Each structure stands twice: as structure tokens, then as C-alpha cells.
Amino acid sequence: MAIEDDVLVIGGGLAGATAALAAADQGGRVRLVSAKQSTLRHASGLIDVLGYTPSGEGPLSDPFAAIPDLPRGHPYERVGPDAVHEALDFFDAIAGDAYAGAGTESNALVMTFGGTVKPTARYPTATAAGLASDDRDALLVGFETLPDFDAPLSAAHLESAGVPFAVRGVTVRFPGLARDDAKLTRYAHLLDRDERVSAAGGSGAREALAATVEPHVAGASRVGFPAVLGDERADEVRADLADRLGAEVFEVPMGPPSLPGVRLEELLYDALSDAGVRVTTGVPVVDYEPDAEGAGRIDRVVVDRNGTDVPHRADQYVLATGGLVGKGVRSDRERVFEPIFDCHVPHPADRYDWFVDDAFGDQPYAKFGLPVDRDLRPLDATGDPEFANLRAAGAIVGGYDFAAEKSGAGVSLATGSVAGRGAGAEVNDR
Ligand SMILES: Cc1cc2nc3c(=O)[nH]c(=O)nc-3n(C[C@H](O)[C@H](O)[C@H](O)COP(=O)(O)OP(=O)(O)OC[C@H]3O[C@@H](n4cnc5c(N)ncnc54)[C@H](O)[C@@H]3O)c2cc1C
């Protein structure tokens, strides 16, 4: 017998989690199934909303002003600026104090670990004191054991980029960590638990770290560390270090793997649990069956549970399986395809036209994904909805290049919220 729900969301990334929360907000019985961990754990935790136009203009201060000029088929053009606003409001309500940037139309500029500045709409509160628009002097602190963040080099890059503050960088040894290959969570746990470390006479990790950094502060009003300052007690760790250093403390978002990404994932999954969404991970959807009456609807999908096919039936479905990175869109030598429902993925017939030689050029494959209507229903090659009860959200939606536009999380949030709300509302209308 099939498992029955009102709305079934396929995919457990930012788009799927948002869709499931938005559908549950409409009161329906919602389930989320996901094959593996999403890209959230690798992403920066920033919610970027159109930092740059598709042609590379920017950074954009007001992303909403640029939405009406986006090409037809771009996800933001499909849902419209009001829906992007509503999605951000929805996110703000879920994230609460954990995120900053609410209540403004403008993108903020945050420092990156590479020493550039990046436009973003919502950013972890831990990052807030590190905004590049802030004119207070800053010290960046890197750790010998985390070579990805070269603090002196980042500081030099920021200064040559003309930031409105003086910035210095210093590299120190993280007290109590001898291993160069320690996981990020090891740094976070040492600080969360304030574990005794051998340095500085066996004091706690926070005191020892502050004692190591304090001689370098030299009047800086804010001190930035790589984003490893605690996990469960991150606010407490930052406040404690700030007290000891006599300066505000912030985190600089890092590349993958990323603790802010993990924290965002935890925040969303707690919200899913609170909203009563049934979540099953480690179970790929491998197939589907259409409605027997030929009504252009999906009747059920087939979930692979440890080698056993388990049918799941729902009134409405949201496909949020990610793009080429998340494996929601795949390619072989012949074609680019969507593996569950075989939805239409427009792409040039000749595979040599899928990419350009210039690695930094405008890569066609970056925009591969499903074309959708304004309700986010995937469209077939003739422009008709593939199924009446299927919507798509997130990186699987085509027509934009998340890396170039600095807009991946924003698209997932906006399309997830529209798709989930639409699916939930349609259940209520039946
Ligand atoms: C390294 C990195 C850094 C990034 N940094 C930023 C940033 O700074 N700012 C920003 O805005 N965006 C950033 N992004 C982009 C942003 O994170 C993504 O665009 C966005 O999170 C995509 O979310 P998604 O839910 O659509 O897809 P994904 O996160 O890819 O999730 C897809 C989910 O679907 C599941 N799935 C796939 N196939 C199946 C199946 N058959 N059955 C069931 N489940 C399935 C996967 O297991 C996964 O859980 C970054 C992305 C990466 C990879």
C-alpha cells in the first residue's frame, strides 16, 4: 500500500526544506524525502539575492529594482519581485535572531575568506559585525591549521579593493590543535565546550585563543575569525571572545565544508520538525507512475528504501532535487536530462556547445535546468505543463547562473516558497 500525503517534496536542500515549510504553513500533511545531504553543508550560509545581473553588472545594491529587467524564464522573472519579498519575510520568521539583514531592500556587502566583498541579502548574525560597508578598523585572524583563510593576504586584498576601513591580518596557532587536518567541528567543539587546552597553562580554549590574539588587536574595533567559532553555543563563544578582546567579534564565511551552512541546515530541519513535516533522508525517488486516467497527473512516485521499492502517493508534488551539482539534472554523452520524471531540459544538441573554452566564460551548462511556468510547473518541449500536480523549485529550475549572479540561495528560497505555498493551496482548494 502506498504512503499517502497531501504534498510530497522531493529533495532536502534549501529549496525542498523551504517548499515543505511553505506547504505545511497552508495546513496540509507534508512529507519530504531526500536521497542524500544537500549542498547546504558546503554553501556559505549566505542568502544571496541577485548580487549581480546575468551580464555581470554589480554589485547590485537593490536587487528588486533589477528583477523587472531579467530575461524571460529567469526564476525571479517567473515568480516576480513580490514573491521574492514574501520568501525573504518567510525566511526571516524562521531564522529569527540567527540571521541579519531583515527589514531592508538592499544587499549588504560581506567580507569573504578570499579578501573580496560579496553582496548578499541575508547573512548569519555571526557575520554581522564584519560588513564591508562598516568603517570601523578590523583585524582578521587566520589559523596556521586552516590555510584556506590567509588572513594577511585577505586583509591586503580588502585594502587594495578600497574598503572604507583599515584592516590588518595575522596568522596564529589555534591553541590545543596540533593536527593540520582537524575537522572544522573540532575547532567549534573546543570553543563550545571551552575545553582545557595545553597552551596558556591549561586554560580553557576561549581564554587561550583570546590570549593568543589579544597582542595583535592594537586598537581594532572588530576582529574577524574564520567561521569556526562554536556550533551549539556560537553566540556565547563570540560574546565571550569579544569580552576578552575588548572588540566586536565576527566570522568570515568560508568555502566548503562550511559551518554556517551546517547551522542553516540545522535551523531548517528544526523548523520542519516543529511544523510537523515528516522527513525521511537516505531514500532516493527512482521512478513515478502517471495517473491511470491519463489526466496528466502524477499518481505516485517510487522511493528506493534500501533496495525495496516503496510507493509514495500525494495530491501535489514538488521537485527540488538540485541542479547538476545536486544530481537533480544529469548528463551523459548524448543528452542532459531530469532522471525521475524525464522532464524536458532544453540544451544544445551538440555537447561541444554545452560549454565554452574560457573557464571563466559564460558557461551554457550553468543555466541548464527545467523551464517552468509562473506557478513553477515544469514545461515540456511544446511549452505545456509536464504534469498538472508537479512544481519545481531551487537549482533544478533553469535560466540562471547561480555562481555568476550570486543568487543560488535566493532562488531556492523564492521558488521553494512559491512552489510549496502553491502546492499547499491547491490541496486546500480541492
Ligand atoms: C560550494 C557551494 C557554495 C555556495 N555558496 C553560495 C552562497 O554563498 N550564496 C548563495 O546564495 N548560494 C550559494 N550556493 C548555491 C546554493 O547553495 C544552491 O543554489 C542552493 O542551495 C540549491 O539548493 P537546492 O535545494 O535547489 O539543491 P541542493 O542543495 O542540491 O539539494 C538537492 C537535494 O535533492 C536531493 N535529491 C537529488 N536527487 C534526488 C532523488 N532522486 N530523490 C530524492 N532526493 C534527491 C539531494 O540529495 C539533495 O538533498 C553555493 C553552492 C555550493 C555548492
Side-chain angles (χ1 to χ4, degrees), residues 13-69:
L14 179 57
T18 306
L21 288 165
D25 208 36
Q26 302 285 313
R29 183 183 159 99
V30 182
R31 183 179 299 271
L32 181 151
V33 292
S34 176
K36 292 188 192 149
Q37 284 173 346
S38 72
T39 55
L40 270 175
R41 290 179 160 250
H42 303 285
S44 63
L46 301 172
I47 307 289
D48 298 345
V49 176
L50 208 60
Y52 293 83
T53 66
S55 53
E57 286 149 39
L60 298 176
S61 162
D62 179 357
F64 295 99
I67 291 178
D69 296 329

Side-chain angles (χ1 to χ4, degrees), residues 51-52 263 291 327-328:
Y52 293 83
R263 293 179 196 139
D291 184 297
K327 303 254 187 275

Side-chain angles (χ1 to χ4, degrees), residues 194-262:
D194 202 12
E195 282 180 26
R196 301 255 147 230
V197 290
S198 53
S203 53
R206 299 177 196 173
E207 184 185 342
L209 178 59
T212 307
V213 171
E214 203 272 333
H216 303 282
V217 174
S221 320
R222 46 190 182 141
V223 180
F225 292 88
V228 297
L229 301 183
D231 183 11
E232 285 160 11
R233 296 187 183 161
D235 289 345
E236 185 188 305
V237 170
R238 269 194 338 277
D240 197 348
L241 289 174
D243 252 10
R244 294 173 192 273
L245 293 174
E248 270 204 81
V249 165
F250 63 93
E251 287 186 336
V252 179
M254 299 287 290
S258 151
L259 265 187
V262 173

Side-chain angles (χ1 to χ4, degrees), residues 15-194:
T18 306
L21 288 165
D25 208 36
Q26 302 285 313
R29 183 183 159 99
V30 182
R31 183 179 299 271
L32 181 151
V33 292
S34 176
K36 292 188 192 149
Q37 284 173 346
S38 72
T39 55
L40 270 175
R41 290 179 160 250
H42 303 285
S44 63
L46 301 172
I47 307 289
D48 298 345
V49 176
L50 208 60
Y52 293 83
T53 66
S55 53
E57 286 149 39
L60 298 176
S61 162
D62 179 357
F64 295 99
I67 291 178
D69 296 329
L70 289 172
R72 190 178 158 80
H74 190 288
Y76 291 140
E77 179 273 335
R78 299 282 81 188
V79 300
D82 289 349
V84 182
H85 270 295
E86 279 172 35
L88 286 171
D89 289 346
F90 188 59
F91 178 78
D92 293 338
I94 294 164
D97 293 344
Y99 268 74
T104 165
E105 298 266 299
S106 308
N107 276 328
L109 288 175
V110 296
M111 299 182 209
T112 71
F113 69 101
T116 58
V117 297
K118 181 175 187 302
T120 190
R122 298 291 184 271
Y123 42 96
T125 311
T127 309
L131 290 191
S133 50
D134 190 332
D135 61 5
R136 290 175 301 162
D137 293 354
L139 170 72
L140 299 182
V141 179
F143 299 133
E144 289 171 7
T145 40
L146 275 184
D148 282 356
F149 181 47
D150 183 334
L153 192 63
S154 288
H157 279 163
L158 285 164
E159 285 233 304
S160 56
V163 291
F165 52 89
V167 52
R168 290 175 290 115
V170 62
T171 304
V172 301
R173 179 151 277 271
F174 190 95
L177 262 191
R179 294 172 55 124
D180 283 0
D181 59 350
K183 289 186 173 168
L184 293 188
T185 45
R186 181 70 191 122
Y187 295 81
H189 290 163
L190 272 170
L191 291 165
D192 263 350
R193 299 172 192 146
D194 202 12

